[in-house]
């Protein structure tokens, strides 16, 4: 088998997650790793068992590397995706696709011109029961959609002393909670329901208006108590928490809440979709079960099982019922579809995976949500 050789750019949390998922595909080889310096790239590559390491410009010159995964901070996504496309590489980019709509639009156009495979890592679509909800809705089992209630809650920025590059707008953009986790929620909403969000009304809250930025590298004080002089006070302008009212193109309504300051919620996405026939409810903390609500008979629990889900959902499931699959499997299932396209050498006419165009769509919604919060008014999309 001639394996597709891949280069991964960035080694924070999500880069190694991509690498682990890619290594579970039989037709893919993670051949190279890229970091900001050659020394750091070598250190990280050695730690991850990857033979070759490069800086970004060097990686693009490697003729045998067919696909590039962009797993860097947000402000680098546009320039690195553009450079990779111009170098003739297929591109899988972390979200957000870019920092603004102009950049995202340029990437969508360039990707279309090249015909190269392009994808944005909205991997949460690939929980099997998310696709099951979509499939059941397409078969008419949900009926007309009355409402959507969604939340995405985390606690990793709960304390004033919690700090990360995502708190800095020059690196992450003008929105944080909405752009980071709200984008997943808005993407999966439209993916499952088939609805388009046509207007938004947003209200943000910055709980910690000043945060304590550590002046030492995390590794140097892990497990130790810092002194006041070890911090710098940094003003925060992006949201810790956001509520957004939604209007859909079928005339009905929805609401989402996102928070990065909800104690005890490590990474909890929850969806409740009510229709004229049933209600579907699902939560990422128990991703292998889906609640189905009925008015005139007992409610139901559907367990993730390839023998019980719809036929068009089975490709997203690897293991039999009772053998749980979770977050790492979502990336594997997404990359399986992406690399089937890469094996063909071009972007499909109707991709099953999220593309740069989907990345543009989520940036558009996020920008309108930002605009609404600033105006404290309804904004049309």
């Amino acid at each position: 088998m001639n394996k597709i050789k891949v280069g991964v750019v960035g080694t924070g949390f999500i880069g190694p997650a991509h690498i682990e998922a890619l290594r579970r595909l039989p037709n893919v080889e993670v051949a190279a790793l890229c970091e900001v310096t050659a020394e750091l790239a070598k250190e990280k590559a050695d730690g991850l068992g990857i033979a070759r390491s490069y800086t970004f410009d060097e990686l693009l010159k490697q003729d045998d590397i067919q696909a590039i995964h962009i797993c860097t901070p947000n402000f680098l996504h546009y320039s690195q995706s553009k450079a990779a496309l111009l170098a003739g590489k297929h591109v899988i980019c972390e979200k957000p696709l870019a920092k603004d709509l102009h950049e995202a639009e340029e990437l969508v156009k360039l990707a279309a011109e090249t015909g190269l495979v392009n994808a944005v890592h909205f991997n949460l679509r690939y929980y099997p029961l998310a696709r099951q909800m979509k499939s059941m809705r397409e078969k008419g089992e949900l009926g007309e959609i009355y409402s959507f209630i969604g939340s995405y809650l985390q606690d990793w920025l709960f304390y004033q002393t919690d700090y990360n590059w995502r708190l800095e707008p020059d690196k992450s953009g003008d929105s944080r909670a909405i752009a980071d986790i709200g984008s997943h929620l808005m993407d999966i909403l439209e993916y499952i329901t088939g609805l388009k969000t046509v207007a938004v009304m947003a209200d943000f809250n910055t709980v910690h208006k000043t945060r304590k930025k550590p002046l030492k590298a995390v590794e140097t004080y892990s497990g130790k108590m810092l002194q006041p002089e070890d911090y710098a006070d940094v003003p925060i302008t992006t949201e810790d928490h956001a509520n957004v009212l939604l209007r859909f193109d079928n005339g009905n309504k929805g609401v989402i809440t996102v928070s990065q300051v909800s104690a005890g919620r490590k990474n909890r996405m929850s969806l409740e979709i009510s229709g004229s026939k049933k209600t579907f409810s699902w939560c990422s903390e128990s991703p292998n079960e889906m609640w189905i609500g009925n008015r005139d008979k007992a409610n139901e629990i559907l367990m993730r099982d390839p023998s019980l889900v719809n036929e068009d959902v089975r490709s997203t499931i690897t293991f039999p019922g009772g053998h749980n699959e979770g977050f790492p499997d979502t990336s594997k299932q997404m990359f399986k579809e992406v690399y089937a396209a890469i094996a063909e050498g071009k972007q499909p006419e109707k991709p099953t995976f999220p593309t740069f165009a989907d990345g543009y769509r989520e940036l558009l919604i996020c920008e309108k949500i930002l605009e609404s919060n600033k105006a404290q008014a309804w904004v049309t999309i």
Side-chain angles (χ1 to χ4, degrees):
M1 178 188 295
N2 290 322
K3 292 193 175 186
I4 300 164
K5 288 186 169 60
V6 179
V8 176
V9 187
T11 59
F13 158 70
I14 204 65
H18 280 235
I19 291 165
E20 189 275 337
L22 288 167
R23 283 174 163 165
R24 297 166 69 191
L25 301 182
N27 63 330
V28 173
E29 176 189 345
V30 182
L33 190 67
C34 167
E35 258 297 349
V36 65
T37 66
E39 293 75 19
L40 183 59
K42 178 69 165 61
E43 176 190 336
K44 296 292 186 178
D46 287 347
L48 290 163
I50 298 171
R52 295 153 60 186
S53 59
Y54 302 102
T55 60
F56 185 70
D57 289 342
E58 291 171 344
L59 178 64
L60 295 186
K61 294 174 184 176
Q62 307 307 308
D63 292 338
D64 64 331
I65 299 295
Q66 296 170 256
I68 302 284
H69 284 240
I70 308 296
C71 303
T72 49
N74 300 357
F75 74 102
L76 293 169
H77 292 180
Y78 161 73
S79 61
Q80 291 182 337
S81 294
K82 180 178 179 179
L85 287 172
L86 290 173
K89 314 295 187 185
H90 305 289
V91 179
I92 298 86
C93 185
E94 264 303 319
K95 50 80 196 162
L97 178 59
K99 280 185 68 178
D100 60 52
L101 286 174
H102 174 74
E103 290 181 348
E105 187 174 23
E106 184 182 344
L107 289 177
V108 171
K109 182 180 178 183
L110 179 59
E113 288 171 353
T114 64
L116 293 163
V117 174
N118 59 91
V120 174
H121 192 229
F122 285 122
N123 58 306
L124 302 190
R125 292 184 183 191
Y126 284 81
Y127 279 110
L129 293 179
R131 187 166 287 190
Q132 175 70 9
M133 287 187 278
K134 172 183 170 65
S135 177
M136 291 177 69
R137 188 267 304 167
E138 290 173 339
K139 294 179 185 299
E141 295 179 51
L142 182 61
E144 180 190 358
I145 295 172
Y146 289 164
S147 69
F148 180 96
I149 302 170
S151 65
Y152 203 141
L153 309 177
Q154 299 176 330
D155 73 355
W156 68 290
L157 293 172
F158 180 72
Y159 293 117
Q160 190 180 23
T161 50
D162 290 327
Y163 202 86
N164 181 271
W165 63 263
R166 291 186 183 277
L167 292 156
E168 300 173 2
D170 62 326
K171 295 183 179 68
S172 66
D174 293 332
S175 171
R176 177 177 19 107
I178 283 289
D180 186 17
I181 53 179
S183 59
H184 273 298
L185 197 53
M186 296 302 300
D187 176 74
I188 206 167
L189 182 170
E190 295 194 342
Y191 174 71
I192 292 172
T193 66
L195 298 175
K196 291 294 183 185
T197 306
V198 296
V200 294
M201 173 66 173
D203 194 23
F204 290 1
N205 187 23
T206 303
V207 173
H208 297 301
K209 294 175 175 56
T210 301
R211 284 183 180 266
K212 303 287 187 181
K213 181 178 181 177
L215 296 174
K216 299 177 180 178
V218 172
E219 291 81 5
T220 65
Y221 63 80
S222 182
K224 299 177 182 177
M225 294 297 293
L226 291 183
Q227 301 303 311
E229 62 269 19
D230 295 325
Y231 292 105
D233 287 342
V234 176
I236 301 299
T237 59
T238 53
E239 73 281 4
D240 291 315
H241 179 281
N243 298 308
V244 188
L245 296 175
L246 311 168
R247 291 175 179 166
F248 302 126
D249 56 356
N250 73 343
N252 288 324
K253 312 293 173 67
V255 61
I256 63 168
T257 295
V258 300
S259 173
Q260 294 175 324
V261 290
S262 295
R265 295 302 189 190
K266 304 306 177 186
N267 192 54
R268 183 182 192 272
M269 182 169 70
S270 176
L271 318 172
E272 185 149 323
I273 309 165
S274 294
S276 58
K277 296 181 180 178
K278 296 179 184 294
T279 293
F280 296 160
S281 182
W282 176 87
C283 173
S284 66
E285 289 186 342
S286 50
N288 291 280
E289 59 184 62
M290 167 189 168
W291 183 86
I292 302 171
N294 300 296
R295 168 64 188 263
D296 298 317
K297 63 177 183 177
N299 297 329
E300 305 161 76
I301 298 288
L302 173 63
M303 303 299 291
R304 181 211 54 82
D305 185 326
S307 69
L308 299 177
V309 299
N310 292 351
E311 186 176 353
D312 57 334
V313 178
R314 290 173 191 159
S315 65
T316 65
I317 301 175
T318 299
F319 296 100
H323 298 76
N324 287 339
E325 292 173 281
F327 178 83
D329 301 280
T330 62
S331 295
K332 183 192 77 170
Q333 300 295 353
M334 176 180 161
F335 296 159
K336 187 167 68 177
E337 294 184 355
V338 171
Y339 277 86
I342 291 175
E344 295 295 322
K346 61 181 180 180
Q347 187 83 342
E349 285 188 20
K350 294 183 178 180
T352 54
F353 52 83
T355 66
F356 279 15
D358 295 301
Y360 175 87
R361 171 71 183 167
E362 294 320 307
L363 265 178
L364 172 63
I365 295 172
C366 286
E367 288 211 0
K368 295 300 183 180
I369 289 173
L370 265 171
E371 184 181 333
S372 171
N373 176 66
K374 289 176 183 175
Q376 289 290 287
W378 281 97
V379 171
T380 300
I381 297 176

